[in-house]
Amino acid sequence: MAKIETTPLVLLAAGLSKRFGGKLKQLARVGPNNETLIEYSLNQATRAGFKEIILIVGEKTETPLRKILGARYNGMRIHYAKQDYDSQTRDAPWGTLDALCAVQQYFDRPIIVCNSDDIYGENALRDAKKFIEKNNQNVAIGYKLEKVLPQAGSVNRGIFSLNRKYVASIREEVGLTQENIAERGLSPQTLCSMNLFGLTTDSLQKLEVRLQEFKQKNAGNRTIECLLPEELGTLIKEKQIIMRVMQTENRWYGLTNPQDEEQVRKELNRKE
């Protein structure tokens, strides 16, 4: 890949969505101008000040994303990196940390990383970028739970436990709904992670070590995945890294199930 000159936004786009009918969610046309979801997200990234995007793709996602985005989008350079795996020993890639480490040659600079099939809000992207460039410190963007729960159905969310303004732990809460958060000891104001992180070079190098250790430990397992939030949580618990939480008022939008597409389309058209 070509040299990267600025803080890049790394978008994880290696896999298709089983819950979305085995399709590439990023190409759902949800924007008010018929933009695909990923185009809408990249428009936000442009306004947030990003100049370079690293798109981590997989076997089935590289060609359609290259076709629609090309090498530049709205003046931003797009670099493509591929997450590979050995199909003789694995049924699927090694997970989101493995995807991130597909660009380990760029671990000499801080990065912002998030999912490519979520819409985070331009202020959330801008705040993460500005914070890590100013402070050279890991940062997670925290969303209020009330802003990331669907009107119907259940979801899983990573809940932050905080020590003042820093992450003490990230725990996965499964099956959250609008109706059951109180009985789980949570409130609408509880901050949760939607996998938008700013990571320093030191943390990226530690994550790379964690990945190699994970692969060695689980060499015989064809399906286990090494997940970025879990590994960050472990490094925080072991006091190897610290991570600031910045709350955003932006609303998150995403497609978990096929029925979400029309609701997101309505929301974005109303917003614009």
Side-chain angles (χ1 to χ4, degrees):
M1 284 186 287
K3 183 179 179 181
I4 290 177
E5 304 291 346
T6 60
T7 303
L9 177 63
V10 179
L11 297 176
L12 304 175
L16 301 176
S17 171
K18 294 180 181 178
R19 295 182 69 176
F20 203 68
K23 298 179 181 179
L24 187 57
K25 293 190 292 185
Q26 292 89 334
L27 300 187
R29 294 193 175 275
V30 295
N33 299 308
N34 204 36
E35 308 101 309
T36 61
L37 185 149
I38 195 166
E39 288 175 311
Y40 193 95
S41 294
L42 289 177
N43 290 341
Q44 291 188 331
T46 301
R47 295 192 295 268
F50 286 94
K51 303 297 183 184
E52 300 193 77
I53 304 295
I54 303 177
L55 197 57
I56 299 177
V57 295
E59 188 69 36
K60 295 182 179 180
T61 64
E62 180 175 11
T63 297
L65 288 173
R66 279 185 180 273
K67 183 177 181 180
I68 196 168
L69 299 176
R72 282 189 177 271
Y73 185 88
N74 275 358
M76 295 184 296
R77 293 179 63 187
I78 299 184
H79 308 265
Y80 294 85
K82 192 171 182 180
Q83 182 186 20
D84 289 315
Y85 69 101
D86 183 358
S87 60
Q88 299 298 313
T89 59
R90 293 280 303 172
D91 296 334
W94 279 95
T96 49
L97 179 53
D98 182 63
L100 177 59
C101 287
V103 295
Q104 59 187 263
Q105 65 266 45
Y106 294 134
F107 284 2
D108 62 341
R109 68 188 61 243
I111 65 168
I112 308 298
V113 59
C114 60
N115 299 330
S116 67
D117 53 4
D118 294 317
I119 297 172
Y120 289 94
E122 62 187 86
N123 288 335
L125 295 172
R126 182 184 295 109
D127 289 346
K129 181 177 183 294
K130 285 186 174 181
F131 180 87
I132 201 166
E133 288 178 345
K134 179 180 179 180
N135 300 287
N136 191 33
Q137 189 178 102
N138 299 304
V139 63
I141 299 298
Y143 289 79
K144 292 179 181 178
L145 199 53
E146 64 182 356
K147 292 182 178 290
V148 297
L149 290 179
Q151 294 181 355
S154 65
V155 291
N156 304 338
R157 294 289 180 252
I159 304 299
F160 287 124
S161 295
L162 301 180
N163 180 5
R164 298 183 180 177
K165 295 181 179 181
Y166 291 86
V167 180
S169 68
I170 309 171
R171 73 180 189 278
E172 187 81 358
E173 284 282 349
V174 178
L176 289 176
T177 67
Q178 294 278 0
E179 293 75 27
N180 70 9
I181 59 173
E183 64 188 58
R184 299 286 189 90
L186 305 172
S187 81
Q189 306 301 307
T190 297
L191 292 185
C192 66
S193 167
M194 300 307 297
N195 289 350
L196 172 52
F197 301 107
L199 302 174
T200 65
T201 58
D202 178 66
S203 296
L204 288 167
Q205 290 159 9
K206 289 176 178 177
L207 285 167
E208 186 182 350
V209 172
R210 291 283 306 174
L211 175 64
Q212 297 310 316
E213 292 174 346
F214 184 93
K215 287 183 173 181
Q216 291 174 11
K217 181 179 178 181
N218 297 283
N221 192 320
R222 296 184 64 93
T223 59
I224 194 169
E225 294 184 358
C226 189
L227 302 178
L228 177 59
E230 291 184 6
E231 297 305 318
L232 286 171
T234 298
L235 290 176
I236 291 168
K237 184 178 179 180
E238 294 178 352
K239 301 187 185 306
Q240 294 192 50
I241 65 172
I242 62 172
M243 177 173 285
R244 174 77 178 272
V245 174
M246 295 183 68
Q247 179 179 322
T248 182
E249 294 300 324
N250 276 160
R251 186 174 182 86
W252 167 93
Y253 299 96
L255 305 179
T256 302
N257 299 301
Q259 60 266 31
D260 297 333
E261 184 174 343
E262 184 57 31
Q263 182 61 36
V264 170
R265 186 178 295 112
K266 288 180 180 178
E267 291 288 339
L268 295 181
N269 277 269
R270 183 183 302 119
K271 182 175 181 291
E272 294 289 329

